[in-house]
Amino acid sequence: MSKIFQIVVFASGNGSNFKKIHQEILASNINGNIGILISNNKQCGAVDYATEHGIKCVILDKKNEISENTFMQILEGYLPDLIILAGYLKLIPASVIRKYKHKIINIHPALLPSFGGKGMYGSNVHKAVLASKQITSGATVHFVDEKYDHGQIIDQQEVQVFPDDTAELLARRVLEVEHLLYPRVVKACCEDRIIWEGDAPRIIPSK
Ligand code: GAR
């Protein structure tokens, strides 16, 4: 039996990606264990889901600001092999990025490097895609660095943009794709199937 990857999840929204990944773990399709959910929103779907499923939560909201050291200590307590951002909109401290280089991944609801960066979340992303008359959008999973929605792209999945799309319709279709893409990439990470070609990560098929 190969080693079980210890996973820390950061999520502050509905938590649908977090839930999909957790369900794949429960179904033994992903060789991982989610030790903790870190959130900056105590009233969100992600925290509700974690509470219902006995996953420990740490809330880092305005009332509960912590130093970079404490942040690091919380993470170290879980010896994470993989850190997953799933709707977490704050920057991760630079010291954490350095320590967990190539172990922190994020999902974004557009085809990066376009339509990412500070303020690019939720409907803002899809409105910008529609305003610039794109014919495709999609979702991207990438390694996390010091900048918003930046870092090497691991995998992407496209969706078509229709002429009569609204931000809501496009968001719904992109989210469906996220729910396939993110578990697939997390599974690959937990099976050590990410290889590097120079500076570019690539997923290799399972044996
Ligand atoms: C997802 O669409 C994710 O791509 C996005 O937040 C949403 C979280 O949804 N992340 C970003 O925009 C990062 N810049 P969820 O809480 O239902 O998983």
Side-chain angles (χ1 to χ4, degrees):
M1 178 69 186
S2 50
K3 137 187 167 166
I4 294 178
F5 268 57
Q6 296 305 326
I7 299 173
V8 169
V9 177
F10 284 74
S12 299
N14 290 332
S16 68
N17 280 289
F18 163 45
K19 180 175 163 186
K20 283 282 167 195
I21 290 164
H22 184 243
Q23 285 173 346
E24 291 296 312
I25 290 172
L26 293 181
S28 303
N29 293 328
I30 292 178
N31 189 24
N33 171 60
I34 298 176
I36 190 169
L37 170 75
I38 299 180
S39 180
N40 50 28
N41 182 3
K42 68 176 178 212
Q43 282 170 327
C44 69
V47 170
D48 290 347
Y49 180 84
T51 309
E52 282 160 20
H53 290 80
I55 298 168
K56 192 175 171 213
C57 297
V58 168
I59 310 293
L60 304 177
D61 58 11
K62 285 205 175 87
K63 279 194 201 143
N64 199 12
E65 298 236 29
I66 57 166
S67 68
E68 213 166 303
N69 264 349
T70 313
F71 196 101
M72 185 72 97
Q73 276 166 17
I74 293 172
L75 283 179
E76 282 175 355
Y78 290 88
L79 299 173
D81 300 299
L82 183 64
I83 298 171
I84 295 174
L85 312 192
Y88 184 78
L89 305 175
K90 289 201 150 193
L91 281 180
I92 300 294
S95 58
V96 174
I97 305 270
R98 278 195 300 275
K99 175 157 174 110
Y100 294 99
K101 190 173 160 68
H102 296 156
K103 288 185 176 179
I104 312 178
I105 61 176
N106 178 46
I107 190 156
H108 184 74
L111 297 175
L112 293 175
S114 301
F115 305 106
K118 194 166 167 52
M120 275 295 187
Y121 61 87
S123 62
N124 294 353
V125 178
H126 306 294
K127 282 178 186 158
V129 168
L130 293 177
S132 69
K133 307 262 183 267
Q134 301 296 308
I135 53 169
T136 52
S137 187
T140 302
V141 178
H142 64 96
F143 284 113
V144 171
D145 65 12
E146 290 86 350
K147 298 182 194 158
Y148 286 104
D149 306 319
H150 199 258
Q152 296 104 333
I153 291 169
I154 305 171
D155 202 1
Q156 297 185 302
Q157 197 165 329
E158 288 189 0
V159 303
Q160 208 182 329
V161 178
F162 299 121
D164 55 352
D165 254 338
T166 61
E168 290 72 28
L169 290 172
L170 182 57
R172 205 176 302 159
R173 290 203 312 287
V174 170
L175 194 61
E176 277 174 22
V177 157
E178 291 185 48
H179 293 163
L180 302 173
L181 175 68
Y182 216 4
R184 195 164 75 225
V185 175
V186 171
K187 180 176 170 66
C189 290
C190 293
E191 293 173 3
D192 281 326
R193 285 192 289 109
I194 311 280
I195 60 158
W196 289 86
E197 288 169 343
D199 198 31
R202 184 166 71 82
I203 295 177
I204 55 168
S206 47
K207 289 175 198 116

